[in-house]
Amino acid sequence: MKRLKFEYRTSVKFDGEVIDHGFLLRCIPKEEERQHLEYYRLDIWPETEVKVADDFWKNTTVQGIIVRPHRSFGFNICGEVTVDLSRPRKTGHPIFAYPTEYTQTSPAMEALTERLLREAFGDVRQVCTPQQPEEEQANALSKALCLMNGLYDIFEYRQNVTRTTTTAAEAFALGQGVCQDYAHMLTAMCLYAKIPARYVAGFMLGEGHTHAWVEIFSEGSWYGLDPTNNLMVDETYIKLAHGRNALDCSVLRGGFKGNVRQNQEIYVHVEEVE
């Protein structure tokens, strides 16, 4: 078990005034079996009333609207969470067995998935499904790790070559991308192999930006895999949200009236509390 202190700040500046600015945030760490939010403080500017509620995936959302003219918008959240991977496990949901437009495989991705599993396990047809008994799902985690290792070997981390709307197949064809692309691709490959998988957004120990990874369902439990770093997720990661893809987990969404350009800065810091 680890106790982690976090701070997350996003600041957006506009080169002119905007009005009727509606926003939806998923910046509050998720409360679930293995993660407990000890406390948090959230500041939003310009100050406005907000509504805190759960979305379909039980991720905490913060919604609000700023009607008056303003040239900047931002929020800062800080607090502490306790992460304990030994806590009781959670059952799967059948919706995480099916791809979305962002997690569809291409023929090249399918060929790689089949080759990796064949080389490591022989018969690629021997994959798990959510309906199979737990004893038949024993290889789901090892298969997902195999796919993650193979993806890591051929894909290059590079910023500014993909967009927030880039699909798994598009990123795979480029051969380069960021953590969102890694997570979409691994999710797609796992789903093709009949391994239930979901997209996760959150933080990891250190200083930088938000991060994305994957959770797969095996032997009655969700396991986190970080394909960007080729690591299993441990107790130094903080989850904000999970869903079918990045769109379900977006930390900041919104819209406003105004013909302006904007500049966004993000800061994340996570440290372990002794």
Side-chain angles (χ1 to χ4, degrees):
M1 182 176 69
K2 291 187 183 296
R3 188 172 178 122
L4 304 174
K5 179 186 294 185
F6 70 91
E7 181 178 5
Y8 173 34
R9 179 171 63 253
T10 290
S11 176
V12 183
K13 294 183 179 180
F14 308 105
D15 65 356
E17 290 188 336
V18 301
I19 61 173
D20 297 340
H21 183 174
F23 60 88
L24 184 148
L25 310 177
R26 292 186 182 88
C27 62
I28 301 175
K30 190 174 180 65
E31 183 74 29
E32 58 179 18
E33 288 92 338
R34 296 180 173 183
Q35 179 173 283
H36 174 62
L37 181 60
E38 301 290 345
Y39 71 88
Y40 75 93
R41 174 178 174 176
L42 174 62
D43 297 307
I44 299 174
W45 61 87
E47 187 176 351
T48 187
E49 292 186 1
V50 298
K51 177 183 178 182
V52 179
D54 286 348
D55 65 12
F56 179 81
W57 314 106
K58 302 300 181 182
N59 304 314
T60 302
T61 67
V62 180
Q63 303 176 54
I65 185 168
I66 304 167
V67 178
R68 62 188 183 279
H70 55 285
R71 287 176 172 264
S72 66
F73 167 79
F75 62 91
N76 188 89
I77 183 170
C78 58
E80 292 185 8
V81 300
T82 300
V83 183
D84 186 354
L85 298 186
S86 69
R87 287 175 177 170
R89 297 173 172 180
K90 188 175 183 179
T91 57
H93 191 292
I95 200 168
F96 294 120
Y98 301 98
T100 68
E101 60 179 315
Y102 291 99
T103 56
Q104 293 279 358
T105 51
S106 64
M109 295 175 71
E110 293 168 3
L112 175 64
T113 300
E114 293 178 6
R115 178 175 65 80
L116 291 171
L117 294 180
R118 184 181 302 109
E119 289 175 353
F121 303 101
D123 190 349
V124 299
R125 295 172 298 177
Q126 299 302 312
V127 293
C128 69
T129 67
Q131 292 76 31
Q132 286 179 302
E134 287 191 8
E135 60 270 16
E136 295 181 22
Q137 297 184 24
N139 284 329
L141 178 57
S142 57
K143 289 177 186 292
L145 286 168
C146 170
L147 296 178
M148 180 174 70
N149 294 337
L151 180 62
Y152 183 80
D153 286 342
I154 66 167
F155 199 76
E156 178 186 359
Y157 183 91
R158 179 169 292 185
Q159 298 179 339
N160 303 318
V161 295
T162 57
R163 302 169 296 173
T164 57
T165 56
T166 300
T167 67
E170 291 169 340
F172 187 85
L174 287 171
Q176 300 173 334
V178 294
C179 60
Q180 173 177 301
D181 304 305
Y182 278 90
H184 277 159
M185 289 186 295
L186 182 59
T187 299
M189 293 169 68
C190 286
L191 292 175
Y192 178 73
K194 300 296 187 291
I195 302 170
R198 62 193 185 192
Y199 184 102
V200 181
F203 313 135
M204 60 186 300
L205 193 67
E207 189 170 304
H209 293 80
T210 53
H211 193 45
W213 60 92
V214 178
E215 288 182 337
I216 65 97
F217 193 70
S218 177
E219 298 185 88
S221 181
W222 289 100
Y223 294 88
L225 303 180
D226 179 358
T228 307
N229 297 297
N230 203 27
L231 296 171
M232 283 198 68
V233 170
D234 59 18
E235 294 173 342
T236 63
Y237 289 70
I238 297 176
K239 180 195 288 192
L240 293 177
H242 69 233
R244 298 163 301 170
N245 52 48
L247 190 63
D248 290 338
C249 304
S250 55
V251 179
L252 170 59
R253 295 188 67 188
F256 52 78
K257 294 178 182 178
N259 184 18
V260 298
R261 290 178 296 180
Q262 56 183 301
N263 179 56
Q264 179 175 284
E265 295 182 355
I266 297 174
Y267 169 80
V268 174
H269 180 77
V270 178
E271 63 181 76
E272 186 175 350
V273 180
E274 299 295 338

